[in-house]
Amino acid sequence: MQNLFERLKPEAKVVINEQADRYPLSVANITEELKSNSFLGDIKYDYVMWLARDSKLRKIAGMHPYDYVDELLIINLSKLFND
């Protein structure tokens, strides 16, 4: 089974990598977390929130700007990944 980083859509990887200059430690941590897990529900809440705070990632996931409820957040963020 592929990990979340391998399943991440290319356009989402680009957005995350663009953040590396400004937030190198955060990007390194989220990348490691995605590589260490195969299911979105298994990653730490802090990383889910990190992914959700980025407006470009939210757009890729098809999220409305006000979709910020935990269960809805996980469901919508799943659209950042290929099946």
Side-chain angles (χ1 to χ4, degrees):
M1 174 175 279
Q2 290 183 313
N3 63 46
L4 288 170
F5 188 78
E6 293 169 334
R7 291 178 35 219
L8 196 61
K9 291 183 177 179
E11 58 269 31
K13 281 184 184 179
V14 168
V15 171
I16 291 171
N17 288 330
E18 286 174 350
Q19 297 287 337
D21 289 337
R22 192 166 186 189
Y23 307 106
L25 185 58
S26 294
V27 170
N29 289 339
I30 190 66
T31 299
E32 183 59 35
E33 185 76 4
L34 293 174
K35 288 180 178 180
S36 300
N37 291 286
S38 297
F39 301 100
L40 188 57
D42 291 338
I43 68 171
K44 295 177 185 169
Y45 183 76
D46 290 348
Y47 297 123
V48 171
M49 296 307 289
W50 190 92
L51 290 168
R53 72 156 175 75
D54 189 284
S55 62
K56 291 178 184 176
L57 290 176
R58 291 168 68 82
K59 186 175 181 178
I60 292 168
M63 294 174 70
H64 187 276
Y66 301 110
D67 289 347
Y68 224 76
V69 177
D70 291 343
E71 291 80 18
L72 186 59
L73 188 61
I74 295 247
I75 292 166
N76 283 335
L77 285 179
S78 67
K79 295 177 184 176
L80 291 176
F81 304 91
N82 295 312
D83 294 327

XYZ file of all heavy atoms in Angstrom:
686
model
N 0.843 -1.177 0.000
C 0.000 0.000 0.000
C 0.893 1.246 0.000
O 1.883 1.319 0.715
C -0.890 -0.017 1.239
C -1.696 1.248 1.403
S -2.854 1.196 2.766
C -4.170 0.289 1.995
N 0.512 2.217 -0.811
C 1.279 3.461 -0.890
C 1.032 4.320 0.345
O -0.057 4.310 0.912
C 0.861 4.256 -2.125
C 1.279 3.644 -3.437
C 0.891 4.546 -4.589
O -0.221 5.036 -4.660
N 1.834 4.765 -5.493
N 2.056 5.088 0.714
C 1.868 6.027 1.816
C 1.184 7.290 1.283
O 1.006 7.458 0.075
C 3.196 6.330 2.529
C 4.203 7.016 1.635
O 3.887 7.958 0.912
N 5.441 6.553 1.682
N 0.796 8.160 2.200
C 0.070 9.374 1.811
C 0.903 10.294 0.925
O 0.373 10.922 0.008
C -0.394 10.130 3.058
C -1.531 9.476 3.834
C -1.731 10.178 5.167
C -2.810 9.490 3.023
N 2.194 10.370 1.167
C 3.037 11.235 0.349
C 3.075 10.736 -1.096
O 3.009 11.534 -2.026
C 4.453 11.321 0.914
C 5.296 12.339 0.208
C 5.142 13.689 0.490
C 6.218 11.961 -0.749
C 5.910 14.647 -0.171
C 6.988 12.901 -1.411
C 6.826 14.244 -1.122
N 3.150 9.424 -1.271
C 3.153 8.849 -2.623
C 1.814 9.075 -3.317
O 1.774 9.222 -4.539
C 3.448 7.354 -2.557
C 4.845 7.025 -2.094
C 5.051 5.564 -1.772
O 4.070 4.869 -1.422
O 6.210 5.124 -1.841
N 0.746 9.106 -2.557
C -0.593 9.295 -3.121
C -0.971 10.760 -3.296
O -1.978 11.070 -3.939
C -1.628 8.618 -2.221
C -1.525 7.104 -2.245
C -2.516 6.420 -1.332
N -3.785 7.096 -1.240
C -4.471 7.207 -0.098
N -4.002 6.727 1.022
N -5.626 7.820 -0.099
N -0.186 11.657 -2.737
C -0.489 13.084 -2.810
C -0.524 13.539 -4.271
O 0.360 13.207 -5.059
C 0.581 13.862 -2.046
C 0.308 15.299 -1.669
C -0.918 15.401 -0.757
C 1.520 15.875 -0.963
N -1.539 14.275 -4.629
C -1.656 14.770 -6.002
C -0.485 15.696 -6.313
O -0.025 16.443 -5.454
C -2.980 15.508 -6.192
C -4.169 14.577 -6.138
C -5.457 15.306 -6.398
C -6.617 14.310 -6.394
N -7.903 14.956 -6.626
N 0.023 15.664 -7.542
C 1.188 16.483 -7.902
C 1.008 17.965 -7.602
O 1.932 18.618 -7.115
C 1.357 16.240 -9.401
C 0.690 14.931 -9.665
C -0.425 14.833 -8.659
N -0.166 18.494 -7.858
C -0.383 19.919 -7.610
C -0.350 20.235 -6.110
O 0.049 21.325 -5.709
C -1.680 20.423 -8.256
C -2.939 19.719 -7.813
C -3.347 18.510 -8.647
O -2.487 17.819 -9.194
O -4.558 18.258 -8.739
N -0.733 19.288 -5.271
C -0.656 19.482 -3.822
C 0.801 19.427 -3.354
O 1.205 20.197 -2.477
C -1.489 18.434 -3.093
N 1.599 18.540 -3.950
C 3.028 18.476 -3.620
C 3.709 19.804 -3.948
O 4.550 20.277 -3.196
C 3.720 17.347 -4.382
C 3.494 15.987 -3.795
C 4.290 14.935 -4.542
C 3.988 13.559 -4.003
N 4.712 12.503 -4.712
N 3.348 20.386 -5.071
C 3.925 21.667 -5.470
C 3.619 22.730 -4.415
O 4.502 23.478 -4.000
C 3.412 22.105 -6.866
C 3.764 23.552 -7.152
C 3.964 21.192 -7.950
N 2.379 22.788 -3.971
C 1.979 23.789 -2.974
C 2.751 23.571 -1.672
O 3.264 24.530 -1.077
C 0.451 23.736 -2.715
C 0.064 24.605 -1.535
C -0.309 24.157 -3.957
N 2.860 22.342 -1.235
C 3.599 22.046 0.000
C 5.066 22.421 -0.162
O 5.652 23.060 0.708
C 3.422 20.570 0.403
C 1.975 20.328 0.847
C 4.408 20.191 1.519
C 1.619 18.876 1.064
N 5.662 22.060 -1.286
C 7.075 22.381 -1.514
C 7.320 23.886 -1.604
O 8.390 24.370 -1.224
C 7.600 21.678 -2.757
C 7.772 20.196 -2.535
O 8.033 19.750 -1.421
N 7.618 19.425 -3.594
N 6.340 24.636 -2.099
C 6.469 26.100 -2.155
C 6.576 26.702 -0.753
O 7.148 27.772 -0.581
C 5.271 26.713 -2.877
C 5.281 26.501 -4.373
C 4.007 26.986 -5.046
O 3.015 27.324 -4.340
O 3.971 27.020 -6.286
N 6.036 26.008 0.230
C 6.069 26.486 1.613
C 7.415 26.210 2.291
O 7.691 26.737 3.366
C 4.957 25.818 2.427
C 3.563 26.132 1.950
C 3.154 27.557 2.278
O 3.689 28.180 3.179
N 2.196 28.073 1.545
N 8.274 25.403 1.670
C 9.531 24.973 2.302
C 10.478 26.125 2.601
O 11.186 26.086 3.614
C 10.222 23.929 1.433
N 10.515 27.141 1.761
C 11.393 28.285 2.020
C 10.966 29.056 3.269
O 11.798 29.491 4.049
C 11.413 29.245 0.825
C 12.155 28.668 -0.366
O 13.003 27.779 -0.163
O 11.875 29.115 -1.493
N 9.673 29.187 3.422
C 9.145 29.974 4.535
C 9.019 29.154 5.826
O 9.214 29.671 6.916
C 7.785 30.532 4.148
C 7.290 31.574 5.077
C 6.128 32.306 4.470
N 5.779 33.406 5.348
C 4.727 34.140 5.223
N 3.898 33.916 4.227
N 4.478 35.106 6.062
N 8.657 27.872 5.681
C 8.425 27.001 6.841
C 9.180 25.681 6.680
O 8.563 24.616 6.558
C 6.927 26.712 6.998
C 6.056 27.936 7.031
C 5.261 28.283 5.942
C 6.021 28.750 8.164
C 4.454 29.404 5.979
C 5.228 29.881 8.207
C 4.437 30.199 7.116
O 3.644 31.314 7.148
N 10.513 25.700 6.656
C 11.266 24.476 6.372
C 11.013 23.337 7.362
O 10.872 22.181 6.952
C 12.726 24.929 6.401
C 12.733 26.226 7.124
C 11.386 26.834 6.926
N 10.936 23.635 8.625
C 10.711 22.584 9.615
C 9.307 22.000 9.489
O 9.125 20.778 9.542
C 10.941 23.124 11.028
C 10.853 22.098 12.143
C 11.863 20.976 11.939
C 11.086 22.765 13.488
N 8.321 22.851 9.284
C 6.946 22.375 9.131
C 6.804 21.482 7.904
O 6.164 20.432 7.961
C 5.974 23.547 9.013
O 5.922 24.279 10.210
N 7.399 21.901 6.801
C 7.307 21.106 5.576
C 8.040 19.773 5.754
O 7.538 18.726 5.337
C 7.838 21.892 4.355
C 7.973 20.998 3.139
C 6.907 23.063 4.051
N 9.186 19.793 6.389
C 9.914 18.544 6.649
C 9.079 17.615 7.524
O 8.992 16.407 7.259
C 11.258 18.843 7.304
N 8.439 18.169 8.548
C 7.630 17.357 9.454
C 6.388 16.794 8.777
O 6.065 15.618 8.950
C 7.229 18.170 10.687
C 8.393 18.425 11.607
O 9.397 17.725 11.578
N 8.277 19.441 12.438
N 5.684 17.624 8.011
C 4.475 17.135 7.353
C 4.833 16.107 6.281
O 4.140 15.111 6.109
C 3.605 18.278 6.768
C 2.238 17.759 6.303
C 4.261 18.979 5.609
C 1.345 17.262 7.370
N 5.944 16.311 5.590
C 6.385 15.345 4.584
C 6.693 14.001 5.237
O 6.269 12.950 4.745
C 7.623 15.878 3.831
O 7.247 17.102 3.173
C 8.110 14.900 2.796
N 7.396 14.023 6.358
C 7.712 12.784 7.077
C 6.443 12.103 7.588
O 6.313 10.885 7.516
C 8.665 13.072 8.239
C 9.101 11.839 8.976
C 9.807 10.811 8.098
O 10.530 11.205 7.168
O 9.622 9.603 8.333
N 5.513 12.899 8.087
C 4.246 12.345 8.577
C 3.465 11.683 7.445
O 2.911 10.597 7.620
C 3.413 13.459 9.221
C 2.147 12.997 9.871
C 2.353 12.308 11.221
O 3.489 12.237 11.723
O 1.346 11.832 11.769
N 3.439 12.316 6.286
C 2.729 11.737 5.138
C 3.427 10.467 4.647
O 2.765 9.510 4.235
C 2.618 12.757 4.010
C 1.737 13.981 4.291
C 1.839 14.977 3.158
C 0.292 13.576 4.550
N 4.750 10.440 4.714
C 5.499 9.256 4.293
C 5.346 8.101 5.281
O 5.500 6.945 4.904
C 6.981 9.595 4.120
C 7.260 10.439 2.893
C 8.733 10.749 2.765
C 9.022 11.557 1.504
N 10.455 11.868 1.376
N 5.029 8.418 6.523
C 4.934 7.400 7.577
C 3.544 6.801 7.722
O 3.351 5.886 8.522
C 5.343 8.006 8.923
O 6.654 8.470 8.878
N 2.569 7.321 6.996
C 1.185 6.866 7.158
C 0.526 6.610 5.812
O 0.825 7.272 4.827
C 0.376 7.916 7.929
C 0.801 8.004 9.370
O 0.482 7.123 10.156
N 1.541 9.042 9.713
N -0.407 5.658 5.834
C -1.154 5.321 4.628
C -2.585 5.837 4.653
O -3.263 5.826 3.637
C -1.175 3.805 4.427
O 0.141 3.332 4.220
N -3.036 6.268 5.834
C -4.407 6.732 5.978
C -4.425 8.125 6.586
O -3.720 8.393 7.568
C -5.211 5.775 6.863
C -5.256 4.377 6.323
C -4.416 3.401 6.836
C -6.110 4.042 5.284
C -4.443 2.116 6.338
C -6.137 2.765 4.773
C -5.296 1.787 5.299
N -5.251 9.001 6.040
C -5.334 10.374 6.521
C -5.741 10.423 7.987
O -5.252 11.248 8.749
C -6.311 11.180 5.655
C -6.376 12.676 5.895
C -5.005 13.319 5.724
C -7.367 13.320 4.954
N -6.603 9.521 8.409
C -7.050 9.494 9.795
C -5.955 9.147 10.781
O -6.126 9.326 11.987
N -4.816 8.657 10.292
C -3.709 8.271 11.174
C -2.707 9.388 11.417
O -1.854 9.264 12.287
C -2.962 7.067 10.603
C -3.794 5.799 10.648
O -4.742 5.736 11.458
O -3.502 4.875 9.873
N -2.795 10.475 10.646
C -1.810 11.535 10.874
C -2.251 12.416 12.030
O -3.432 12.502 12.365
C -1.504 12.360 9.604
C -2.680 13.206 9.156
C -1.018 11.474 8.475
C -2.316 14.170 8.036
N -1.286 13.049 12.649
C -1.551 13.882 13.816
C -2.449 15.059 13.438
O -2.358 15.614 12.345
C -0.242 14.404 14.399
C 0.620 13.302 14.948
C 1.935 13.847 15.439
C 2.834 12.703 15.870
N 4.202 13.148 16.105
N -3.290 15.422 14.383
C -4.242 16.510 14.180
C -3.540 17.799 13.750
O -4.030 18.523 12.886
C -5.034 16.731 15.472
C -6.090 17.787 15.361
C -7.288 17.528 14.708
C -5.898 19.045 15.914
C -8.267 18.494 14.607
C -6.871 20.015 15.815
C -8.049 19.740 15.164
O -9.014 20.703 15.061
N -2.390 18.083 14.331
C -1.644 19.301 13.973
C -1.331 19.336 12.477
O -1.367 20.391 11.856
C -0.332 19.388 14.746
C -0.533 19.663 16.214
O -1.664 20.008 16.607
O 0.442 19.539 16.968
N -1.021 18.183 11.914
C -0.681 18.133 10.502
C -1.923 18.248 9.625
O -1.867 18.832 8.546
C 0.114 16.875 10.181
C 1.431 16.846 10.914
C 1.768 15.797 11.746
C 2.331 17.897 10.793
C 2.981 15.779 12.426
C 3.534 17.892 11.467
C 3.856 16.828 12.285
O 5.048 16.833 12.951
N -3.025 17.705 10.085
C -4.287 17.881 9.358
C -4.611 19.372 9.292
O -4.963 19.910 8.242
C -5.436 17.105 10.031
C -6.781 17.465 9.408
C -5.200 15.611 9.941
N -4.446 20.047 10.428
C -4.725 21.476 10.468
C -3.737 22.257 9.602
O -4.112 23.244 8.967
C -4.687 21.988 11.915
C -5.780 21.367 12.784
S -7.440 21.521 12.098
C -7.703 23.262 12.304
N -2.490 21.818 9.567
C -1.491 22.479 8.724
C -1.908 22.389 7.264
O -1.847 23.372 6.524
C -0.110 21.844 8.927
C 0.996 22.603 8.278
C 1.760 23.582 8.832
C 1.480 22.460 6.933
N 2.681 24.054 7.930
C 2.529 23.375 6.747
C 1.119 21.647 5.860
C 3.215 23.508 5.549
C 1.813 21.776 4.666
C 2.852 22.697 4.528
N -2.332 21.209 6.842
C -2.791 21.032 5.465
C -4.030 21.887 5.190
O -4.158 22.489 4.130
C -3.105 19.561 5.193
C -1.922 18.615 5.140
C -2.404 17.171 5.152
C -1.058 18.873 3.916
N -4.924 21.952 6.158
C -6.199 22.647 5.959
C -6.065 24.160 5.978
O -6.898 24.855 5.415
C -7.182 22.217 7.030
N -5.023 24.673 6.585
C -4.902 26.130 6.691
C -4.481 26.773 5.372
O -4.699 27.942 5.157
C -3.919 26.524 7.783
C -2.496 26.239 7.398
C -1.501 27.112 8.142
N -0.149 26.725 7.823
C 0.469 26.997 6.683
N -0.142 27.641 5.729
N 1.705 26.606 6.473
N -3.891 26.017 4.486
C -3.395 26.571 3.232
C -4.527 26.707 2.221
O -5.157 25.725 1.834
C -2.284 25.680 2.669
C -1.598 26.320 1.484
O -2.200 26.317 0.385
O -0.485 26.841 1.653
N -4.792 27.916 1.788
C -5.916 28.161 0.887
C -5.760 27.450 -0.458
O -6.748 27.027 -1.048
C -6.108 29.660 0.675
O -4.967 30.231 0.062
N -4.538 27.299 -0.936
C -4.332 26.609 -2.215
C -4.650 25.122 -2.074
O -5.246 24.522 -2.968
C -2.898 26.798 -2.703
C -2.589 28.213 -3.130
C -1.142 28.345 -3.545
C -0.799 29.791 -3.873
N 0.625 29.956 -4.176
N -4.246 24.511 -0.952
C -4.563 23.101 -0.720
C -6.061 22.919 -0.525
O -6.637 21.938 -0.996
C -3.802 22.561 0.493
C -2.297 22.408 0.315
C -1.648 21.959 1.619
C -1.960 21.440 -0.804
N -6.683 23.866 0.155
C -8.138 23.795 0.336
C -8.846 23.858 -1.015
O -9.812 23.147 -1.256
C -8.608 24.922 1.250
C -8.145 24.735 2.694
C -8.354 25.990 3.517
N -9.758 26.275 3.734
C -10.497 25.707 4.671
N -9.958 24.838 5.484
N -11.763 26.037 4.805
N -8.341 24.674 -1.920
C -8.937 24.777 -3.256
C -8.761 23.469 -4.021
O -9.699 22.991 -4.660
C -8.304 25.940 -4.018
C -8.946 26.208 -5.349
C -8.369 27.434 -6.008
C -9.069 27.681 -7.330
N -8.574 28.891 -7.982
N -7.561 22.874 -3.961
C -7.314 21.592 -4.627
C -8.268 20.526 -4.093
O -8.768 19.687 -4.842
C -5.847 21.151 -4.445
C -4.916 22.093 -5.223
C -5.637 19.707 -4.907
C -3.447 21.931 -4.891
N -8.520 20.568 -2.774
C -9.407 19.594 -2.144
C -10.882 19.893 -2.399
O -11.747 19.120 -2.012
C -9.144 19.544 -0.642
N -11.171 21.021 -3.052
C -12.555 21.376 -3.345
C -13.318 21.846 -2.121
O -14.532 21.719 -2.052
N -12.596 22.412 -1.162
C -13.220 22.854 0.081
C -13.691 24.299 -0.016
O -13.044 25.124 -0.639
C -12.220 22.733 1.238
C -11.838 21.305 1.549
S -10.539 21.209 2.800
C -11.430 21.737 4.252
N -14.783 24.567 0.614
C -15.274 25.926 0.779
C -14.440 26.575 1.879
O -14.001 25.896 2.811
C -16.758 25.881 1.175
C -17.395 27.217 1.215
N -17.313 28.037 2.310
C -18.117 27.876 0.288
C -17.948 29.150 2.064
N -18.457 29.088 0.845
N -14.188 27.860 1.819
C -13.361 28.520 2.842
C -13.828 28.310 4.276
O -13.044 28.376 5.201
C -13.448 30.002 2.476
C -13.784 30.020 1.034
C -14.609 28.792 0.776
N -15.112 28.028 4.482
C -15.628 27.878 5.838
C -15.802 26.426 6.266
O -16.305 26.160 7.344
C -16.938 28.641 5.989
C -16.758 30.104 5.689
C -17.304 30.670 4.548
C -15.995 30.916 6.529
C -17.114 32.012 4.259
C -15.794 32.260 6.237
C -16.363 32.796 5.111
O -16.160 34.118 4.820
N -15.388 25.467 5.422
C -15.441 24.052 5.801
C -14.292 23.764 6.752
O -13.191 23.450 6.335
C -15.296 23.146 4.564
C -16.512 23.163 3.678
O -17.545 23.662 4.127
O -16.417 22.672 2.552
N -14.548 23.866 8.027
C -13.476 23.687 8.985
C -13.923 22.859 10.183
O -13.497 23.051 11.292
C -12.960 25.054 9.456
C -11.464 25.119 9.510
C -10.726 25.252 8.348
C -10.792 25.037 10.717
C -9.353 25.315 8.394
C -9.419 25.107 10.756
C -8.698 25.249 9.596
O -7.331 25.307 9.650
N -14.836 21.936 9.961
C -15.286 21.021 11.000
C -14.435 19.759 10.885
O -14.169 19.289 9.785
C -16.786 20.701 10.813
C -17.266 19.705 11.830
C -17.608 21.971 10.866
N -14.005 19.208 12.014
C -13.052 18.103 12.010
C -13.408 16.973 11.046
O -12.610 16.600 10.204
C -12.888 17.516 13.416
C -12.183 18.471 14.344
O -11.551 19.420 13.853
O -12.273 18.275 15.562
N -14.580 16.380 11.184
C -14.931 15.244 10.341
C -15.004 15.652 8.866
O -14.537 14.955 7.990
C -16.265 14.625 10.776
C -16.209 13.916 12.108
C -16.282 14.859 13.298
O -16.704 16.031 13.144
O -15.906 14.425 14.397
N -15.591 16.794 8.616
C -15.691 17.314 7.254
C -14.305 17.615 6.702
O -14.009 17.367 5.538
C -16.561 18.569 7.244
C -16.897 19.178 5.896
C -17.641 18.165 5.035
C -17.749 20.411 6.082
N -13.435 18.110 7.555
C -12.077 18.447 7.168
C -11.331 17.212 6.668
O -10.715 17.231 5.613
C -11.359 19.050 8.373
C -9.996 19.652 8.168
C -10.082 20.805 7.196
C -9.462 20.143 9.492
N -11.406 16.126 7.406
C -10.719 14.896 7.008
C -11.298 14.380 5.693
O -10.575 13.969 4.805
C -10.836 13.826 8.113
C -10.097 14.282 9.342
C -10.371 12.477 7.608
C -8.891 13.535 9.743
N -12.620 14.398 5.567
C -13.243 13.918 4.342
C -12.803 14.751 3.154
O -12.419 14.230 2.121
C -14.785 13.933 4.477
C -15.227 12.880 5.503
C -15.459 13.704 3.137
C -16.655 13.019 5.955
N -12.833 16.062 3.282
C -12.466 16.920 2.165
C -10.981 16.860 1.852
O -10.591 16.882 0.699
C -12.900 18.360 2.431
C -14.377 18.553 2.222
O -15.004 17.813 1.478
N -14.944 19.505 2.884
N -10.129 16.795 2.878
C -8.693 16.713 2.614
C -8.326 15.423 1.904
O -7.311 15.354 1.229
C -7.893 16.857 3.906
C -7.801 18.274 4.468
C -7.002 18.265 5.760
C -7.172 19.233 3.476
N -9.147 14.406 2.031
C -8.863 13.148 1.345
C -8.828 13.354 -0.171
O -8.192 12.578 -0.887
C -9.873 12.072 1.713
O -11.157 12.396 1.228
N -9.420 14.426 -0.658
C -9.413 14.711 -2.092
C -8.052 15.238 -2.566
O -7.828 15.387 -3.754
C -10.506 15.707 -2.436
C -11.901 15.143 -2.200
C -12.962 16.174 -2.476
C -14.329 15.625 -2.139
N -15.373 16.629 -2.306
N -7.122 15.487 -1.625
C -5.755 15.872 -2.001
C -4.940 14.675 -2.472
O -3.868 14.830 -3.027
C -5.020 16.499 -0.808
C -5.480 17.865 -0.335
C -4.703 18.264 0.920
C -5.277 18.896 -1.413
N -5.481 13.475 -2.236
C -4.736 12.249 -2.507
C -5.396 11.428 -3.596
O -6.609 11.419 -3.731
C -4.635 11.409 -1.225
C -4.025 12.149 -0.094
C -4.799 12.863 0.802
C -2.645 12.174 0.082
C -4.238 13.565 1.847
C -2.067 12.881 1.113
C -2.868 13.569 2.004
N -4.567 10.743 -4.367
C -5.075 9.800 -5.353
C -5.468 8.511 -4.634
O -4.889 8.171 -3.612
C -4.003 9.498 -6.402
C -3.660 10.724 -7.210
O -4.539 11.422 -7.684
N -2.375 10.995 -7.360
N -6.446 7.814 -5.181
C -6.895 6.541 -4.565
C -5.889 5.440 -4.730
O -5.026 5.346 -5.426
C -8.235 6.115 -5.160
C -9.331 7.100 -4.785
O -9.251 7.660 -3.686
O -10.240 7.278 -5.593
